[in-house]
Amino acid sequence: MYEGAGYEVMDIGEDITTDAFVEAVKEHTPDILGMSAMLTTTMTFMEQTIKSLMEAGLRNNVKVIIGGAPVTQDFADQIGADGYASNSAEAVDLAKQLTQE
């Protein structure tokens, strides 16, 4: 969906460590970092990733959006994400909104 909307996508894979997210942000300097969780047990890594981006001095350089089956807007607010989308079409709309700010 992102590529169809004209975004360049760097897919760094599945089961990514917090450190790998930080390194990918350093390397690719994206405008947006998108994370998805399919299980509640993986949601905690989203918060850890945001904290690690802050510790690395990168958080202000990238918008973080999250989604996935167990994720909610309340959770996004709780962990300090910039946005939440419940499906891929909403995620593209959110990316457009965040990159125009």
Side-chain angles (χ1 to χ4, degrees), residues 15-64:
D15 299 321
I16 304 304
T17 65
T18 299
D19 290 339
F21 273 118
V22 171
E23 290 305 313
V25 169
K26 284 180 184 177
E27 179 182 347
H28 300 289
T29 61
D31 296 321
I32 297 172
L33 167 63
M35 294 185 283
S36 177
M38 297 311 293
L39 302 168
T40 56
T41 55
T42 60
M43 290 168 59
T44 58
F45 293 101
M46 292 176 164
E47 182 173 19
Q48 290 175 5
T49 298
I50 291 172
K51 287 180 180 178
S52 292
L53 289 169
M54 291 171 69
E55 291 168 2
L58 300 169
R59 180 63 181 97
N60 291 334
N61 301 335
V62 64
K63 300 288 186 181
V64 177

Short mmCIF file of all heavy atoms in Angstrom, two decimals, residues 15-64:
data_model
loop_
_atom_site.label_atom_id
_atom_site.label_comp_id
_atom_site.label_asym_id
_atom_site.label_seq_id
_atom_site.Cartn_x
_atom_site.Cartn_y
_atom_site.Cartn_z
N ASP A 15 10.26 -10.01 13.42
CA ASP A 15 10.96 -10.32 14.67
C ASP A 15 12.23 -9.49 14.81
O ASP A 15 13.32 -10.02 15.07
CB ASP A 15 11.27 -11.82 14.77
CG ASP A 15 10.02 -12.67 14.76
OD1 ASP A 15 9.02 -12.25 15.38
OD2 ASP A 15 10.04 -13.74 14.13
N ILE A 16 12.09 -8.19 14.63
CA ILE A 16 13.23 -7.27 14.65
C ILE A 16 13.52 -6.82 16.08
O ILE A 16 12.61 -6.44 16.82
CB ILE A 16 12.93 -6.05 13.76
CG1 ILE A 16 12.57 -6.48 12.35
CG2 ILE A 16 14.09 -5.07 13.76
CD1 ILE A 16 13.62 -7.32 11.68
N THR A 17 14.77 -6.83 16.45
CA THR A 17 15.16 -6.37 17.77
C THR A 17 15.09 -4.84 17.84
O THR A 17 15.13 -4.15 16.82
CB THR A 17 16.59 -6.79 18.14
OG1 THR A 17 17.51 -6.15 17.25
CG2 THR A 17 16.75 -8.31 18.06
N THR A 18 15.02 -4.34 19.04
CA THR A 18 15.02 -2.90 19.26
C THR A 18 16.27 -2.27 18.66
O THR A 18 16.21 -1.25 18.00
CB THR A 18 14.91 -2.61 20.76
OG1 THR A 18 13.68 -3.15 21.24
CG2 THR A 18 14.94 -1.13 21.06
N ASP A 19 17.40 -2.92 18.89
CA ASP A 19 18.67 -2.40 18.35
C ASP A 19 18.66 -2.36 16.83
O ASP A 19 19.19 -1.43 16.22
CB ASP A 19 19.85 -3.24 18.83
CG ASP A 19 20.14 -3.05 20.32
OD1 ASP A 19 19.72 -2.03 20.90
OD2 ASP A 19 20.79 -3.94 20.90
N ALA A 20 18.05 -3.36 16.21
CA ALA A 20 17.98 -3.40 14.75
C ALA A 20 17.12 -2.25 14.22
O ALA A 20 17.43 -1.67 13.18
CB ALA A 20 17.45 -4.74 14.27
N PHE A 21 16.04 -1.92 14.92
CA PHE A 21 15.22 -0.77 14.52
C PHE A 21 16.04 0.50 14.60
O PHE A 21 16.03 1.33 13.68
CB PHE A 21 13.98 -0.63 15.41
CG PHE A 21 12.79 -1.42 14.94
CD1 PHE A 21 12.26 -2.41 15.74
CD2 PHE A 21 12.18 -1.15 13.73
CE1 PHE A 21 11.15 -3.13 15.32
CE2 PHE A 21 11.07 -1.85 13.31
CZ PHE A 21 10.56 -2.86 14.11
N VAL A 22 16.77 0.68 15.69
CA VAL A 22 17.59 1.89 15.86
C VAL A 22 18.64 1.98 14.76
O VAL A 22 18.83 3.04 14.15
CB VAL A 22 18.24 1.92 17.26
CG1 VAL A 22 19.26 3.05 17.37
CG2 VAL A 22 17.16 2.08 18.34
N GLU A 23 19.31 0.89 14.47
CA GLU A 23 20.32 0.88 13.41
C GLU A 23 19.71 1.18 12.05
O GLU A 23 20.29 1.90 11.24
CB GLU A 23 21.07 -0.45 13.40
CG GLU A 23 21.99 -0.64 14.58
CD GLU A 23 23.00 0.49 14.76
OE1 GLU A 23 23.64 0.89 13.77
OE2 GLU A 23 23.12 0.99 15.89
N ALA A 24 18.52 0.64 11.79
CA ALA A 24 17.86 0.90 10.51
C ALA A 24 17.48 2.37 10.38
O ALA A 24 17.61 2.96 9.30
CB ALA A 24 16.62 0.02 10.37
N VAL A 25 17.04 2.98 11.46
CA VAL A 25 16.70 4.41 11.42
C VAL A 25 17.96 5.24 11.19
O VAL A 25 17.94 6.19 10.42
CB VAL A 25 15.96 4.85 12.71
CG1 VAL A 25 15.85 6.36 12.80
CG2 VAL A 25 14.57 4.21 12.76
N LYS A 26 19.06 4.85 11.83
CA LYS A 26 20.33 5.55 11.59
C LYS A 26 20.75 5.42 10.13
O LYS A 26 21.17 6.40 9.51
CB LYS A 26 21.43 4.96 12.49
CG LYS A 26 21.37 5.38 13.91
CD LYS A 26 22.51 4.73 14.68
CE LYS A 26 22.44 5.04 16.16
NZ LYS A 26 23.51 4.35 16.93
N GLU A 27 20.66 4.22 9.59
CA GLU A 27 21.14 3.96 8.24
C GLU A 27 20.26 4.59 7.17
O GLU A 27 20.77 5.19 6.22
CB GLU A 27 21.21 2.45 8.00
CG GLU A 27 21.67 2.07 6.61
CD GLU A 27 21.69 0.57 6.37
OE1 GLU A 27 21.59 -0.20 7.34
OE2 GLU A 27 21.81 0.18 5.19
N HIS A 28 18.95 4.45 7.29
CA HIS A 28 18.04 4.86 6.21
C HIS A 28 17.42 6.24 6.42
O HIS A 28 16.83 6.78 5.49
CB HIS A 28 16.92 3.83 6.05
CG HIS A 28 17.42 2.46 5.72
ND1 HIS A 28 17.97 2.14 4.50
CD2 HIS A 28 17.46 1.33 6.46
CE1 HIS A 28 18.32 0.87 4.50
NE2 HIS A 28 18.03 0.34 5.68
N THR A 29 17.53 6.81 7.61
CA THR A 29 16.94 8.11 7.97
C THR A 29 15.52 8.29 7.41
O THR A 29 15.25 9.22 6.66
CB THR A 29 17.84 9.28 7.53
OG1 THR A 29 18.00 9.28 6.12
CG2 THR A 29 19.19 9.24 8.22
N PRO A 30 14.61 7.40 7.78
CA PRO A 30 13.25 7.49 7.27
C PRO A 30 12.47 8.64 7.89
O PRO A 30 12.81 9.11 8.99
CB PRO A 30 12.63 6.16 7.68
CG PRO A 30 13.33 5.83 8.97
CD PRO A 30 14.75 6.31 8.74
N ASP A 31 11.44 9.08 7.20
CA ASP A 31 10.51 10.04 7.78
C ASP A 31 9.57 9.35 8.75
O ASP A 31 9.10 9.95 9.71
CB ASP A 31 9.68 10.71 6.68
CG ASP A 31 10.53 11.54 5.74
OD1 ASP A 31 11.47 12.20 6.21
OD2 ASP A 31 10.26 11.52 4.53
N ILE A 32 9.27 8.07 8.45
CA ILE A 32 8.31 7.30 9.24
C ILE A 32 8.88 5.92 9.54
O ILE A 32 9.45 5.28 8.67
CB ILE A 32 6.98 7.12 8.46
CG1 ILE A 32 6.34 8.48 8.21
CG2 ILE A 32 6.02 6.21 9.22
CD1 ILE A 32 5.14 8.42 7.31
N LEU A 33 8.67 5.47 10.77
CA LEU A 33 8.96 4.11 11.17
C LEU A 33 7.62 3.46 11.49
O LEU A 33 6.89 3.93 12.36
CB LEU A 33 9.87 4.07 12.39
CG LEU A 33 10.01 2.71 13.08
CD1 LEU A 33 10.63 1.69 12.15
CD2 LEU A 33 10.80 2.84 14.37
N GLY A 34 7.29 2.41 10.78
CA GLY A 34 6.06 1.68 11.03
C GLY A 34 6.35 0.36 11.69
O GLY A 34 7.26 -0.37 11.29
N MET A 35 5.58 0.04 12.73
CA MET A 35 5.71 -1.24 13.43
C MET A 35 4.34 -1.87 13.57
O MET A 35 3.35 -1.17 13.79
CB MET A 35 6.31 -1.04 14.83
CG MET A 35 7.73 -0.54 14.84
SD MET A 35 8.43 -0.47 16.51
CE MET A 35 7.63 1.02 17.15
N SER A 36 4.32 -3.19 13.46
CA SER A 36 3.08 -3.93 13.59
C SER A 36 3.28 -5.08 14.57
O SER A 36 4.33 -5.73 14.55
CB SER A 36 2.65 -4.48 12.23
OG SER A 36 1.49 -5.26 12.36
N ALA A 37 2.29 -5.33 15.39
CA ALA A 37 2.32 -6.46 16.32
C ALA A 37 1.11 -7.34 16.05
O ALA A 37 -0.01 -6.84 15.90
CB ALA A 37 2.30 -5.97 17.77
N MET A 38 1.35 -8.62 15.97
CA MET A 38 0.25 -9.55 15.77
C MET A 38 -0.14 -10.26 17.06
O MET A 38 -1.18 -10.88 17.15
CB MET A 38 0.60 -10.58 14.69
CG MET A 38 0.84 -9.92 13.32
SD MET A 38 -0.45 -8.75 12.81
CE MET A 38 -1.84 -9.83 12.59
N LEU A 39 0.71 -10.17 18.08
CA LEU A 39 0.45 -10.79 19.38
C LEU A 39 0.67 -9.75 20.48
O LEU A 39 1.56 -8.91 20.37
CB LEU A 39 1.41 -11.97 19.63
CG LEU A 39 1.38 -13.10 18.60
CD1 LEU A 39 2.56 -14.03 18.82
CD2 LEU A 39 0.07 -13.86 18.72
N THR A 40 -0.11 -9.86 21.54
CA THR A 40 0.05 -8.91 22.65
C THR A 40 1.44 -9.03 23.27
O THR A 40 1.97 -8.03 23.78
CB THR A 40 -1.02 -9.14 23.73
OG1 THR A 40 -0.95 -10.50 24.18
CG2 THR A 40 -2.40 -8.84 23.22
N THR A 41 2.05 -10.19 23.21
CA THR A 41 3.38 -10.37 23.81
C THR A 41 4.46 -9.57 23.10
O THR A 41 5.50 -9.29 23.68
CB THR A 41 3.78 -11.86 23.82
OG1 THR A 41 3.70 -12.36 22.48
CG2 THR A 41 2.88 -12.66 24.73
N THR A 42 4.22 -9.18 21.86
CA THR A 42 5.22 -8.40 21.12
C THR A 42 5.00 -6.90 21.22
O THR A 42 5.87 -6.13 20.81
CB THR A 42 5.25 -8.82 19.64
OG1 THR A 42 3.98 -8.59 19.06
CG2 THR A 42 5.63 -10.28 19.48
N MET A 43 3.87 -6.50 21.75
CA MET A 43 3.57 -5.07 21.84
C MET A 43 4.57 -4.32 22.72
O MET A 43 4.87 -3.15 22.45
CB MET A 43 2.15 -4.86 22.36
CG MET A 43 1.08 -5.27 21.39
SD MET A 43 -0.59 -5.34 22.10
CE MET A 43 -0.82 -3.67 22.69
N THR A 44 5.09 -4.96 23.75
CA THR A 44 6.03 -4.28 24.64
C THR A 44 7.29 -3.82 23.90
O THR A 44 7.91 -2.83 24.29
CB THR A 44 6.44 -5.18 25.82
OG1 THR A 44 7.01 -6.38 25.30
CG2 THR A 44 5.23 -5.53 26.69
N PHE A 45 7.65 -4.53 22.83
CA PHE A 45 8.84 -4.15 22.08
C PHE A 45 8.64 -2.83 21.33
O PHE A 45 9.60 -2.13 21.04
CB PHE A 45 9.26 -5.27 21.13
CG PHE A 45 9.74 -6.48 21.86
CD1 PHE A 45 8.91 -7.58 22.02
CD2 PHE A 45 11.00 -6.51 22.43
CE1 PHE A 45 9.34 -8.70 22.71
CE2 PHE A 45 11.45 -7.62 23.13
CZ PHE A 45 10.61 -8.72 23.28
N MET A 46 7.40 -2.49 21.04
CA MET A 46 7.13 -1.20 20.39
C MET A 46 7.52 -0.06 21.33
O MET A 46 8.20 0.88 20.92
CB MET A 46 5.65 -1.09 20.01
CG MET A 46 5.22 -2.00 18.93
SD MET A 46 3.44 -1.85 18.64
CE MET A 46 3.29 -2.63 17.05
N GLU A 47 7.11 -0.16 22.57
CA GLU A 47 7.47 0.87 23.56
C GLU A 47 8.98 0.90 23.77
O GLU A 47 9.58 1.98 23.82
CB GLU A 47 6.76 0.62 24.88
CG GLU A 47 7.04 1.67 25.92
CD GLU A 47 6.21 1.52 27.17
OE1 GLU A 47 5.67 0.43 27.43
OE2 GLU A 47 6.12 2.52 27.92
N GLN A 48 9.60 -0.26 23.85
CA GLN A 48 11.06 -0.31 24.02
C GLN A 48 11.78 0.32 22.84
O GLN A 48 12.79 1.00 23.01
CB GLN A 48 11.51 -1.76 24.21
CG GLN A 48 11.10 -2.35 25.52
CD GLN A 48 11.46 -3.83 25.62
OE1 GLN A 48 12.09 -4.39 24.74
NE2 GLN A 48 11.03 -4.46 26.70
N THR A 49 11.25 0.10 21.65
CA THR A 49 11.87 0.69 20.45
C THR A 49 11.79 2.21 20.50
O THR A 49 12.78 2.90 20.20
CB THR A 49 11.20 0.14 19.18
OG1 THR A 49 11.41 -1.27 19.13
CG2 THR A 49 11.77 0.79 17.93
N ILE A 50 10.65 2.75 20.89
CA ILE A 50 10.51 4.21 20.99
C ILE A 50 11.48 4.75 22.03
O ILE A 50 12.15 5.77 21.80
CB ILE A 50 9.05 4.59 21.29
CG1 ILE A 50 8.18 4.28 20.06
CG2 ILE A 50 8.94 6.06 21.68
CD1 ILE A 50 6.69 4.44 20.28
N LYS A 51 11.59 4.08 23.17
CA LYS A 51 12.54 4.52 24.20
C LYS A 51 13.97 4.46 23.69
O LYS A 51 14.77 5.36 23.96
CB LYS A 51 12.37 3.68 25.46
CG LYS A 51 11.11 3.99 26.23
CD LYS A 51 10.98 3.12 27.47
CE LYS A 51 9.70 3.46 28.21
NZ LYS A 51 9.50 2.61 29.39
N SER A 52 14.30 3.41 22.95
CA SER A 52 15.65 3.28 22.40
C SER A 52 15.95 4.37 21.37
O SER A 52 17.08 4.87 21.30
CB SER A 52 15.85 1.90 21.78
OG SER A 52 15.83 0.91 22.79
N LEU A 53 14.95 4.73 20.58
CA LEU A 53 15.12 5.83 19.63
C LEU A 53 15.39 7.13 20.38
O LEU A 53 16.22 7.94 19.96
CB LEU A 53 13.89 5.98 18.74
CG LEU A 53 13.68 4.89 17.70
CD1 LEU A 53 12.29 5.02 17.08
CD2 LEU A 53 14.75 4.93 16.63
N MET A 54 14.71 7.33 21.51
CA MET A 54 14.93 8.53 22.32
C MET A 54 16.35 8.53 22.87
O MET A 54 17.05 9.55 22.80
CB MET A 54 13.90 8.59 23.45
CG MET A 54 12.49 8.87 22.97
SD MET A 54 11.24 8.70 24.26
CE MET A 54 11.63 10.10 25.29
N GLU A 55 16.78 7.39 23.41
CA GLU A 55 18.12 7.29 23.99
C GLU A 55 19.20 7.51 22.93
O GLU A 55 20.26 8.06 23.25
CB GLU A 55 18.29 5.92 24.64
CG GLU A 55 17.44 5.76 25.90
CD GLU A 55 17.38 4.32 26.40
OE1 GLU A 55 18.04 3.43 25.81
OE2 GLU A 55 16.66 4.09 27.39
N ALA A 56 18.94 7.12 21.71
CA ALA A 56 19.91 7.29 20.62
C ALA A 56 19.85 8.68 20.00
O ALA A 56 20.61 8.99 19.09
CB ALA A 56 19.68 6.23 19.55
N GLY A 57 18.94 9.52 20.48
CA GLY A 57 18.81 10.87 19.94
C GLY A 57 18.14 10.92 18.58
O GLY A 57 18.31 11.90 17.85
N LEU A 58 17.38 9.90 18.25
CA LEU A 58 16.75 9.81 16.93
C LEU A 58 15.25 10.05 16.93
O LEU A 58 14.66 10.22 15.87
CB LEU A 58 17.01 8.41 16.32
CG LEU A 58 18.47 8.04 16.11
CD1 LEU A 58 18.58 6.55 15.76
CD2 LEU A 58 19.07 8.90 15.03
N ARG A 59 14.64 10.06 18.08
CA ARG A 59 13.18 10.08 18.14
C ARG A 59 12.57 11.31 17.48
O ARG A 59 11.52 11.21 16.83
CB ARG A 59 12.71 9.98 19.60
CG ARG A 59 11.22 9.99 19.79
CD ARG A 59 10.57 8.78 19.11
NE ARG A 59 9.15 8.80 19.27
CZ ARG A 59 8.30 9.26 18.36
NH1 ARG A 59 8.76 9.77 17.23
NH2 ARG A 59 7.01 9.24 18.56
N ASN A 60 13.20 12.44 17.59
CA ASN A 60 12.64 13.66 17.00
C ASN A 60 12.79 13.70 15.48
O ASN A 60 12.21 14.57 14.83
CB ASN A 60 13.28 14.90 17.62
CG ASN A 60 12.88 15.09 19.06
OD1 ASN A 60 11.82 14.64 19.49
ND2 ASN A 60 13.73 15.74 19.82
N ASN A 61 13.56 12.76 14.93
CA ASN A 61 13.81 12.73 13.49
C ASN A 61 12.87 11.82 12.72
O ASN A 61 12.92 11.81 11.49
CB ASN A 61 15.25 12.28 13.22
CG ASN A 61 16.27 13.17 13.87
OD1 ASN A 61 16.02 14.34 14.13
ND2 ASN A 61 17.42 12.62 14.14
N VAL A 62 12.06 11.04 13.42
CA VAL A 62 11.23 10.04 12.75
C VAL A 62 9.86 9.96 13.42
O VAL A 62 9.76 10.01 14.64
CB VAL A 62 11.93 8.65 12.74
CG1 VAL A 62 12.13 8.10 14.14
CG2 VAL A 62 11.19 7.67 11.87
N LYS A 63 8.83 9.90 12.61
CA LYS A 63 7.48 9.68 13.12
C LYS A 63 7.29 8.18 13.27
O LYS A 63 7.68 7.40 12.39
CB LYS A 63 6.42 10.23 12.15
CG LYS A 63 6.53 11.70 11.87
CD LYS A 63 6.10 12.51 13.07
CE LYS A 63 6.08 13.99 12.70
NZ LYS A 63 5.69 14.83 13.81
N VAL A 64 6.70 7.76 14.37
CA VAL A 64 6.47 6.34 14.63
C VAL A 64 4.98 6.06 14.56
O VAL A 64 4.19 6.69 15.28
CB VAL A 64 7.02 5.92 16.00
CG1 VAL A 64 6.71 4.45 16.28
CG2 VAL A 64 8.52 6.19 16.08
#
